[in-house]
Amino acid sequence: MNLIFLGAPGAGKGTHSALVSKHLNIPTISTGDLLRAAIKEGSALGKEAEGYMKRGDLVPDQLVIDLMRERIAKSDCKDGFILDGFPRTVAQAQALEDLGIGIDAVVNIDVEDEQIVKRMSGRRVCNGCAATYHTIYKPSRTGEACENCGLTLVIREDDKPETVSARLQVYHEKTAPLIAYYEAKGNLQTVRGREELEETTKAVFEALSL
Ligand code: AP5
């Protein structure tokens, strides 16, 4: 199964792709995680992407398309994959189509902007494996450390309120048009992202008939 998770920053794409990934035993490919890893490594891609990400802007299409093309070609994707945060522009969606890869479903998690801003202030991420937590909605059972690898949980650099507003603006301008794009293709499933994580998870699994 090849799936796409669509939605505003903080809508819950990463959280739910991780759950569906575990259920279906297929990898999640998060462009955000790949880019953050490239920054940590200090690679040429990381150096180029860093400024855009700090401002809350999108990294240029061609850089992300090349990154995804390479990642999807790896052997762990042969039985399917979940894309989290890609495509994010119509040009990226067209590039994905040009690769000749069929998409079975696109799950759009719909959350109001006010809710997103409130939510982002409580997000914590693992400095090692990038697992995501929330101080209220999904606290780590081990306090300030990651449940998976024990490393420290941190606030993501682009989760500052001013950067979150910039990211939301970019989302409405450049990514939201993908809702109509996939609706026209007939494989869009919109799920309302509710305050309770479990309710959203249930709706996501129902939308995918899992
Ligand atoms: P990326 O890392 O993809 O960030 P994003 O899309 O802004 O999404 P987030 O990771 O912030 O949120 P999410 O929807 O995964 O929510 P999460 O599950 O964590 O991208 C970062 C940057 O990289 C971009 O700004 C851009 O610069 C660049 N980039 C990435 N892809 C690109 C591309 N294709 N093209 C160009 N540039 C690209 O949930 C958020 C929080 O809420 C968590 O704490 C979670 O526990 C909690 N939560 C989740 N669901 C619920 C719920 N229902 N109720 C309560 N809490 C919930």
Side-chain angles (χ1 to χ4, degrees):
M1 211 198 257
N2 298 334
L3 304 173
I4 292 175
F5 273 83
L6 204 61
K13 303 181 296 295
T15 301
H16 291 97
S17 17
L19 293 170
V20 174
S21 198
K22 201 169 169 196
H23 184 83
L24 293 175
N25 198 24
I26 53 175
T28 286
I29 306 174
S30 154
T31 32
D33 286 350
L34 291 174
L35 291 166
R36 279 183 289 276
I39 292 174
K40 225 172 169 179
E41 270 167 28
S43 69
L45 169 66
K47 286 190 179 120
E48 196 152 359
E50 194 168 14
Y52 294 99
M53 291 175 75
K54 267 194 180 148
R55 289 193 298 277
D57 213 341
L58 293 186
V59 172
D61 282 338
Q62 203 50 53
L63 288 182
V64 182
I65 291 166
D66 290 346
L67 178 73
M68 287 309 278
R69 187 184 297 118
E70 219 175 276
R71 180 62 188 88
I72 290 173
K74 294 199 172 162
S75 61
D76 63 337
C77 293
K78 68 178 186 339
D79 295 328
F81 53 79
I82 302 174
L83 301 182
D84 161 17
F86 182 92
R88 239 173 165 106
T89 62
V90 171
Q92 292 180 17
Q94 281 163 347
L96 184 62
E97 260 184 66
D98 292 345
L99 291 180
I101 295 166
I103 297 296
D104 299 290
V106 179
V107 182
N108 171 38
I109 308 181
D110 183 31
V111 182
E112 285 164 14
D113 285 8
E114 299 74 50
Q115 182 64 28
I116 297 276
V117 175
K118 242 168 68 187
R119 231 189 236 183
M120 296 302 245
S121 62
R123 173 161 61 182
R124 299 290 180 272
V125 291
C126 173
N127 209 9
C129 72
T132 301
Y133 300 89
H134 195 281
T135 50
I136 297 167
Y137 303 116
K138 196 183 172 231
S140 166
R141 287 189 295 259
T142 51
E144 296 295 300
C146 176
E147 289 171 13
N148 304 332
C149 61
L151 291 182
T152 318
L153 302 182
V154 296
I155 299 177
R156 237 169 71 177
E157 190 160 3
D158 59 352
D159 278 353
K160 290 185 223 127
E162 61 278 18
T163 318
V164 170
S165 312
R167 286 161 67 199
L168 278 170
Q169 209 175 330
V170 168
Y171 165 76
H172 287 293
E173 192 188 317
K174 298 183 176 161
T175 307
L178 287 176
I179 296 171
Y181 181 92
Y182 285 114
E183 207 158 34
K185 297 202 177 289
N187 56 0
L188 186 84
Q189 300 281 347
T190 293
V191 166
R192 197 159 78 81
R194 292 162 198 273
E195 183 129 4
E196 285 305 316
L197 188 52
E198 291 75 17
E199 282 181 34
T200 313
T201 305
K202 191 167 167 259
V204 166
F205 275 68
E206 273 170 15
L208 291 170
S209 307
L210 296 176

